[in-house]
């Protein structure tokens, strides 16, 4: 097994896991809806899956350091297969048991995803592939998986039922674990960390807080995620209902953003090694955030909204690949498990927060003021990276600051 083949298999395992995770995000809430008839419980189970995922992304860092990312990935994926299989097999145990199993599955998935993240750098270095190339390709395939998995889950549920689809999801985690166990062998492993658990966590927090580059990128990404979630979950549906009165507009607007994000991911995967990374990140955040909020607040023209939303999708596609490459290159290897987990969890935390804040804001002040005020806040935050030159010099000269 050559290093490049090992890297490809790791990539395949990661995308397969992403598809399975997105299928479960559709199948589990649907299972709750058809078994309980409660939309409130449907929303609760979705939250119960996401919160442990976020917490585990942070808390698993010291464990990954001790066990090693490869071993953690194998164990977490195999246990995820068992947990999802248990959900499918025990649908009659009641709602409380389902919540417990969903929480366990979410936590295991967080640990599995972060451990696979930690395998990328050593495998890419062994294969002599630039990290920005890997992160940009990963973003393109992840966007494709997102577009594929949701309708695929719907079709599978239609053809079979939600429990059967969860068995398919369990198989994806099983295959992912077996692929990593059989074919992914990183050439070097960071020595196990023997610090106390909470001291180890605190060291990761301290590194992010002190580092100007990571702090700037994390604040920007967190903010973009808040308003991306607010747009998808609240702002766009309410705008469509108020201005158009037709669900077709909802599909067209959300589809325009997804298409733009997929196109942007593909374009960036081609150009990743040829463009200044920090400037690309800053422009992507600027274009991908506030314009699609402001156009909703200032226009009732669906075509204009779709065009701006499409362009915002193109812009936002560069954010994750650049940030991912910065984490791999800029963070010392002995801190990567803690720092990458913390960064991922903080970024993901913006998603549920955005939906909650948007719903409250629209109820309190109305849709148009909510959109314009949110657009201005997002504009101010996303302008900040453009005004900071120091982090750009660090990010665009990775050879001089490469973590060891």
């Amino acid at each position: 097994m050559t290093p490049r083949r090992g890297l490809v298999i790791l990539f395949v395992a990661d995308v397969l896991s992403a598809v399975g995770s997105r299928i479960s995000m559709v199948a589990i809430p649907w299972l709750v809806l058809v078994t309980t008839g409660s939309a409130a419980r449907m929303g609760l189970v979705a939250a119960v899956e996401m919160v442990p995922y976020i917490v585990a992304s942070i808390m698993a860092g010291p464990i990954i350091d001790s066990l090693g990312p490869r071993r953690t990935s194998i164990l977490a994926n195999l246990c995820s297969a068992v947990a999802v299989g248990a959900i499918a097999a025990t649908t009659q145990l009641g709602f409380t048991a389902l919540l417990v199993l969903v929480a366990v599955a979410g936590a295991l998935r967080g640990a599995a995803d972060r451990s696979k993240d930690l395998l990328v750098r050593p495998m890419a270095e062994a294969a002599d592939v630039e990290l920005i190339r890997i992160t940009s390709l990963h973003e393109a395939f992840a966007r494709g998986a997102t577009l594929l998995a949701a309708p695929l889950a719907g079709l599978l549920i239609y053809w079979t039922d939600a429990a059967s689809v969860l068995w398919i999801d369990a198989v994806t985690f099983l295959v992912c674990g077996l692929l990593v166990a059989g074919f992914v062998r990183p050439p070097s492993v960071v020595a196990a960390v023997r610090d106390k658990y909470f001291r180890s966590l605190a060291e990761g927090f301290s590194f992010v807080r002190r580092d100007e580059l990571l702090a700037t990128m994390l604040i920007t990404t967190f903010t973009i995620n808040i308003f991306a979630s607010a747009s998808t979950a609240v702002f766009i549906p309410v705008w469509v209902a108020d201005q158009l009165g037709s669900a077709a507009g909802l599909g067209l607007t959300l589809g325009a953003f997804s298409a733009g994000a997929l196109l942007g991911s593909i374009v960036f995967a081609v150009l990743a090694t040829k463009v200044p990374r920090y400037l690309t990140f800053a422009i992507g955040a600027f274009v991908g955030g506030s314009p699609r909020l402001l156009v909703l607040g200032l226009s009732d023209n669906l075509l204009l909204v779709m065009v701006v939303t499409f362009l915002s999708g193109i812009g936002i596609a560069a954010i994750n690949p650049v940030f991912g490459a910065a984490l791999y290159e800029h963070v010392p290897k002995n801190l990567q498990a803690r720092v990458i987990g913390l960064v991922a969890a903080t970024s993901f935390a913006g998603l549920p927060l955005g939906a909650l804040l948007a719903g409250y804001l629209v109820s309190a002040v109305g849709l148009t003021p909510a959109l314009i005020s949110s657009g201005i806040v997002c504009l101010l935050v996303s302008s900040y990276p453009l005004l900071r030159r120091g982090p750009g010099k660090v990010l665009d000269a990775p050879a001089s600051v490469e973590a060891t």
Side-chain angles (χ1 to χ4, degrees):
M1 176 63 62
T2 66
R4 281 183 178 263
R5 288 182 180 176
L7 179 61
V8 169
I9 290 176
L10 174 62
F11 202 85
V12 170
D14 197 25
V15 172
L16 180 63
S17 175
V19 171
S21 297
R22 284 158 178 79
I23 287 176
S24 72
M25 289 178 183
V26 176
I28 292 176
W30 185 262
L31 176 66
V32 172
L33 184 64
V34 298
T35 55
T36 70
S38 170
R41 288 189 170 189
M42 183 182 182
L44 176 60
V45 79
V48 166
E49 182 181 16
M50 192 64 187
V51 171
Y53 178 90
I54 293 172
V55 173
S57 292
I58 299 175
M59 305 302 287
I63 298 173
I64 296 173
D65 279 333
S66 297
L67 294 178
R70 179 176 177 271
R71 186 181 301 173
T72 306
S73 177
I74 296 168
L75 290 174
N77 277 289
L78 295 181
C79 291
S80 291
V82 173
V84 175
I87 295 172
T90 58
T91 57
Q92 305 305 317
L93 287 183
F95 186 64
T96 300
L98 176 65
L99 287 180
V100 172
L101 289 172
V102 168
V104 171
L108 288 168
R109 188 162 57 85
D113 286 351
R114 299 294 77 78
S115 57
K116 286 197 293 294
D117 290 342
L118 270 295
L119 289 170
V120 170
R121 178 176 177 173
M123 294 299 295
E125 289 175 345
D128 196 26
V129 177
E130 292 181 80
L131 286 166
I132 188 64
R133 179 71 72 191
I134 294 297
T135 56
S136 60
L137 286 171
H138 180 271
E139 180 70 6
F141 277 92
R143 295 284 182 185
T146 300
L147 289 175
L148 170 68
L152 176 61
L155 287 173
L156 290 173
I157 291 171
Y158 175 75
W159 289 331
T160 57
D161 54 59
S164 299
V165 173
L166 287 174
W167 281 114
I168 297 173
D169 187 24
V171 171
T172 65
F173 287 115
L174 176 62
V175 173
C176 182
L178 294 176
L179 286 174
V180 174
F183 303 102
V184 178
R185 301 188 181 278
S188 61
V189 179
V190 179
V193 176
R194 301 300 181 185
D195 287 345
K196 292 182 178 179
Y197 180 84
F198 287 104
R199 182 185 298 172
S200 179
L201 281 178
E203 192 174 357
F205 277 91
S206 179
F207 183 88
V208 174
R209 180 178 56 82
R210 295 192 314 265
D211 190 274
E212 183 183 16
L213 171 64
L214 295 186
T216 299
M217 298 180 82
L218 180 56
I219 291 170
T220 304
T221 305
F222 175 71
T223 304
I224 293 296
N225 280 345
I226 286 178
F227 291 110
S229 175
S231 295
T232 301
V234 178
F235 288 149
I236 292 176
V238 175
W239 181 88
V240 168
D242 287 354
Q243 300 294 336
L244 306 177
S246 170
L250 178 61
L252 290 171
T253 305
L254 295 177
F257 181 78
S258 297
L262 180 58
L263 176 61
S265 298
I266 295 171
V267 171
F268 187 74
V270 175
L271 300 178
T273 59
K274 303 173 183 178
V275 295
R277 285 187 276 176
Y278 185 78
L279 181 61
T280 302
F281 174 89
I283 293 175
F286 187 84
V287 173
S290 61
R292 59 177 169 149
L293 297 170
L294 293 174
V295 73
L296 290 171
L298 299 172
S299 175
D300 59 359
N301 186 303
L302 177 59
L303 180 60
L304 177 61
V305 167
M306 288 178 60
V307 170
V308 174
T309 303
F310 176 78
L311 295 175
S312 291
I314 292 176
I316 210 170
I319 294 178
N320 287 340
V322 175
F323 199 3
L327 287 168
Y328 289 129
E329 295 175 348
H330 189 65
V331 179
K333 288 182 179 179
N334 64 310
L335 291 178
Q336 286 195 349
R338 286 158 278 177
V339 170
I340 290 176
L342 169 63
V343 166
T346 304
S347 296
F348 281 124
L351 298 176
L353 181 60
L356 290 172
L357 291 177
Y360 173 79
L361 196 57
V362 170
S363 298
V365 302
L367 177 61
T368 298
L371 283 166
I372 293 176
S373 59
S374 297
I376 292 172
V377 172
C378 189
L379 178 66
L380 293 174
V381 176
S382 61
S383 298
Y384 182 70
L386 287 170
L387 304 176
R388 303 290 296 171
R389 301 185 64 181
K393 294 178 181 178
V394 173
L395 183 60
D396 289 322
S400 63
V401 295
E402 185 174 356
T404 58

